[in-house]
Amino acid sequence: MSKDSIFIRACKGQETERTPVWIMRQAGRYLPEYRAIRAKTDFLGLCKTPELASEVTVQPIDIIGVDAAILFSDILVIPEAMGMRLEVIESKGPVFYDPIRSLEQINNLKTEGVTERLNYVMEAIKMTKEKLNNRVPLIGFSGAPWTLACYMVEGKGSKSFDVIKSFIYNEPEAAHELLRILADSVVDYLNAKIRAGCDAVQIFDTWAGILSPWDCEEFSLQYIRYICERLETNGVPVIVFAKGVDSMGELSDLKCDVLGIDWTKDIGEVRGAVAGKKAIQGNLDPCVLFASKEKIAAETEKILAKFGYGAGHIFNLGHGILPKTPVENTQYFVNCVKELSVKYHSET
Ligand code: CP3
């Protein structure tokens, strides 16, 4: 049963026989089996075809041996369902053709019926649950309002984020209107995912760390807090991954179960700061998977040792797995976690 799985138990801070492990972006281009299915359709077509989306979701369970599945989709399906034209271009990433630059455009977003238009996601969840057949739990996810707004306003990825930052500094009220709309949609969307059968949900705020601490509170954390307070979880764990955010005190007061951390943090120090209030997910540098097996084992052991003994650690990378990662190293890493973590857990 999913509820008794070591992933769900670890999310709730309960003791497990070893540390569970999954990988952000585990269904993706580093897998030849993913590329074979992806060759049949474009990226959004894959997201919108439940039969194919559920198939690639399950691939890393069989191939890599991870302890949880994460539904194959993208955070940008929400703005797309609000009427923004999105294309995910090979080797360039996502592009919105008419990015948000004014309050008028925000007011024109189709905010009614977003979750209904995302029904293909709910269908993919149901099909995935059947294919998983209770082998491992299924994680659903959403982008946080701030990260969604970054793409909607910039129109694409960015290095400096000058467009979204100019927007929040010059038109803070319009920015907050956009973030409010997004926060309500995320609540609706995640609640629908939980009802459709997801066993856990993760909120990705990939770009939270580009803001000053006070802007981070105002434009990012405030909305994550709002979402966490409104989720109808029915006991399903909530994971918040606010990449690059250092204020562990504030994060540990969120109404969620797990905090995801990137590789720039010492997981032992984070454990101390969080003081048992949350489980912690992370945090191997994804680039370690390009190193030798000895290095992969040593870095995995280092993180396990830094976290130390006892419950409340979910092993993951500190960000998504990179497309050129060798599959063999990824399998080796997962086995390292499974074997090396046993000594940090005592049978109860
Ligand atoms: O984790 C999983 O296996 C589920 C799949 C997943 C994807 N995107 C598939 C994807 C998840 C959880 C995401 C989340 C996502 N998408 C985030 C937050 C997490 C993070 O990595 O920061 C963000 C910022 C996006 C937006 C996005 N979508 C970007 C920046 C890109 C291009 C980057 C890239 O890897 O090329 C996408 C496209 C995308 N989303 C791909 C995949 C597998 C690649 C497109 C393809 O297969 O052609």
Side-chain angles (χ1 to χ4, degrees), residues 22-29 34 38 42-43 46-47 60 70-76 88-94 141 143 147 151 157 204-207 241 243 319-321 323:
W22 69 280
I23 299 173
M24 288 188 277
R25 297 282 195 105
Q26 65 192 16
R29 283 169 299 176
Y34 169 82
R38 173 70 177 71
D42 62 8
F43 175 69
L46 184 47
C47 293
I70 179 161
L71 184 76
F72 185 81
S73 185
D74 197 80
I75 61 166
L76 300 178
V88 177
I89 301 172
E90 200 81 55
S91 77
K92 233 187 114 188
F141 68 90
T147 290
Y151 286 99
F204 284 91
D205 210 355
T206 305
W207 302 121
F241 177 57
K243 184 167 180 279
H319 198 184
I321 188 166

Side-chain angles (χ1 to χ4, degrees), residues 35-272:
R35 293 199 300 272
I37 292 182
R38 173 70 177 71
K40 295 183 195 169
T41 173
D42 62 8
F43 175 69
L44 278 175
L46 184 47
C47 293
K48 290 181 180 182
T49 312
E51 178 56 44
L52 297 181
S54 58
E55 193 175 335
V56 296
T57 300
V58 176
Q59 283 177 344
I61 312 311
D62 301 321
I63 302 166
I64 309 294
V66 281
D67 294 309
I70 179 161
L71 184 76
F72 185 81
S73 185
D74 197 80
I75 61 166
L76 300 178
V77 296
I78 288 186
E80 209 237 358
M82 289 181 171
M84 292 187 74
R85 194 158 77 85
L86 169 68
E87 207 179 315
V88 177
I89 301 172
E90 200 81 55
S91 77
K92 233 187 114 188
V95 175
F96 286 113
Y97 285 95
D98 193 11
I100 302 279
R101 300 289 155 85
S102 68
L103 185 58
E104 197 194 341
Q105 284 170 293
I106 295 169
N107 290 334
N108 284 337
L109 289 169
K110 296 194 192 91
T111 53
E112 295 290 318
V114 172
T115 297
E116 288 73 13
R117 283 192 290 284
L118 291 170
N119 195 46
Y120 61 85
V121 179
M122 310 310 151
E123 288 304 313
I125 292 170
K126 288 170 196 159
M127 281 192 159
T128 305
K129 289 290 288 179
E130 278 172 28
K131 287 185 177 146
L132 287 174
N133 196 19
N134 276 330
R135 277 180 293 162
V136 295
L138 177 62
I139 305 167
F141 68 90
S142 171
W146 168 250
T147 290
L148 292 174
C150 283
Y151 286 99
M152 292 165 84
V153 173
E154 293 279 345
K156 53 185 177 352
S158 173
K159 286 207 168 81
S160 60
F161 293 92
D162 49 318
V163 185
I164 179 74
K165 286 189 181 181
S166 303
F167 193 63
I168 62 171
Y169 296 137
N170 289 320
E171 297 187 61
E173 279 162 24
H176 279 300
E177 178 61 16
L178 176 60
L179 292 164
R180 256 195 305 277
I181 286 171
L182 288 168
D184 283 326
S185 297
V186 170
V187 170
D188 246 36
Y189 180 54
L190 286 179
N191 281 339
K193 281 186 159 177
I194 295 168
R195 285 195 304 274
C198 285
D199 302 292
V201 289
Q202 173 157 328
I203 300 170
F204 284 91
D205 210 355
T206 305
W207 302 121
I210 65 167
L211 293 167
S212 68
W214 43 95
D215 285 336
C216 181
E217 168 55 36
E218 180 175 346
F219 295 99
S220 160
L221 296 186
Q222 178 188 176
Y223 294 97
I224 294 181
R225 197 173 297 121
Y226 176 96
I227 292 163
C228 289
E229 281 161 10
R230 283 161 184 78
L231 290 179
E232 292 155 12
T233 64
N234 204 9
V236 157
V238 177
I239 309 165
V240 172
F241 177 57
K243 184 167 180 279
V245 176
D246 292 326
S247 40
M248 285 303 148
E250 276 165 55
L251 290 175
S252 22
D253 286 334
L254 289 171
K255 195 165 169 256
C256 70
D257 304 273
V258 185
L259 297 177
I261 58 169
D262 63 70
W263 65 90
T264 64
K265 294 172 183 64
D266 177 327
I267 195 168
E269 286 173 16
V270 172
R271 187 183 193 186

Side-chain angles (χ1 to χ4, degrees), residues 18-23 65-68 314-316 333-334 337-338:
R18 61 169 175 83
T19 306
V21 54
W22 69 280
I23 299 173
V66 281
D67 294 309
I314 298 109
F315 218 114
N316 205 314
F333 156 67
V334 166
V337 176
K338 288 181 175 176

